[in-house]
């Protein structure tokens, strides 16, 4: 499971649990594991585990990725909570809408609309199953399942 090192374990837990809507599955004090198999680890404790080596946060070489069906709502939640954006919402070449922001320790988080929802959105925009499959590089069966999931 990916593990990121954080300066303030409570602040980071609040960010991921309250703002990002993630569920804690285990809390070991200095190490908290979330559903989806990622963890945060308190920097002082983590340093002690690696022989007091320096820990640097905020490199642009790693991101945690999350999917939300309603990316506009996720965008508004981040804005209301004063989260710093790497970039505002944009469309990827495969038409998925994404945004990137920074967590309290300047780790990049990417939020994208789920691929299943994307297939549904593209179908609502009048794209055929074959067009959606070609745009998203997803098999027709996945496209059909995604459209079915959101067609109420």
């Amino acid at each position: 499971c990916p593990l990121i090192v954080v300066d303030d374990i409570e602040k980071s837990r609040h960010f991921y649990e309250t703002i990002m809507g993630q569920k804690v599955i285990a809390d070991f004090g200095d190490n908290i594991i979330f559903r989806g198999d990622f963890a945060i680890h308190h920097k002082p404790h983590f340093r002690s585990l690696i022989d007091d080596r320096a820990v640097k946060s905020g490199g642009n070489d790693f991101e945690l990725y999350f999917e939300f069906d309603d990316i506009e709502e996720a965008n508004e939640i981040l804005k209301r909570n004063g989260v710093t954006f790497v970039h505002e919402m944009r469309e990827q070449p495969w038409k998925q809408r994404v945004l990137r922001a920074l967590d309290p320790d300047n780790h990049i988080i990417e939020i994208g609309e789920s691929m299943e929802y994307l297939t549904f959105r593209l179908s609502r925009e009048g794209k055929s199953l074959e067009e959606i499959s070609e745009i998203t590089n997803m098999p027709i069966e996945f496209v059909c399942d995604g459209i079915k999931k959101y067609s109420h």
Side-chain angles (χ1 to χ4, degrees):
C1 110
L3 179 144
I4 57 174
V5 178
V6 300
D7 286 317
D8 184 328
I9 195 85
E10 290 305 319
K11 183 177 184 179
S12 291
R13 178 183 180 151
H14 172 80
F15 176 82
Y16 284 105
E17 193 171 23
T18 306
I19 297 172
M20 295 296 297
Q22 301 304 298
K23 303 293 183 215
V24 171
I25 59 172
D27 182 346
F28 303 108
D30 284 321
N31 183 11
I32 299 171
I33 302 171
F34 293 89
R35 182 177 297 140
D37 295 327
F38 79 96
I40 58 176
H41 202 119
H42 196 208
K43 187 181 285 185
H45 186 257
F46 185 78
R47 281 186 68 160
S48 74
L49 300 175
I50 60 168
D51 299 331
D52 207 32
R53 289 188 166 101
V55 177
K56 299 174 190 166
S57 295
N60 291 332
D61 60 347
F62 176 85
E63 72 177 17
L64 290 175
Y65 174 76
F66 301 91
E67 288 188 340
F68 288 83
D69 293 338
D70 190 344
I71 193 165
E72 289 90 1
E73 180 184 9
N75 187 48
E76 288 305 312
I77 290 169
L78 293 176
K79 284 182 177 182
R80 275 196 312 267
N81 284 280
V83 173
T84 301
F85 285 81
V86 173
H87 65 72
E88 297 281 337
M89 194 168 9
R90 63 173 62 152
E91 196 171 87
Q92 303 288 29
W94 54 92
K95 302 296 185 195
Q96 180 190 31
R97 294 177 298 171
V98 303
L99 58 89
R100 288 182 175 85
L102 299 175
D103 79 356
D105 291 276
N106 293 318
H107 299 108
I108 297 174
I109 57 167
E110 178 181 347
I111 299 174
E113 67 186 324
S114 69
M115 293 302 290
E116 293 92 350
Y117 186 80
L118 171 61
T119 64
F120 172 71
R121 181 173 61 81
L122 292 175
S123 74
R124 279 194 332 206
E125 293 173 5
K127 303 274 191 257
S128 71
L129 296 177
E130 293 78 13
E131 289 174 312
I132 297 169
S133 177
E134 185 175 324
I135 290 167
T136 62
N137 286 318
M138 295 294 175
I140 294 282
E141 182 178 315
F142 180 91
V143 172
C144 290
D145 289 346
I147 293 169
K148 182 179 177 182
K149 179 178 178 178
Y150 292 97
S151 297
H152 301 301

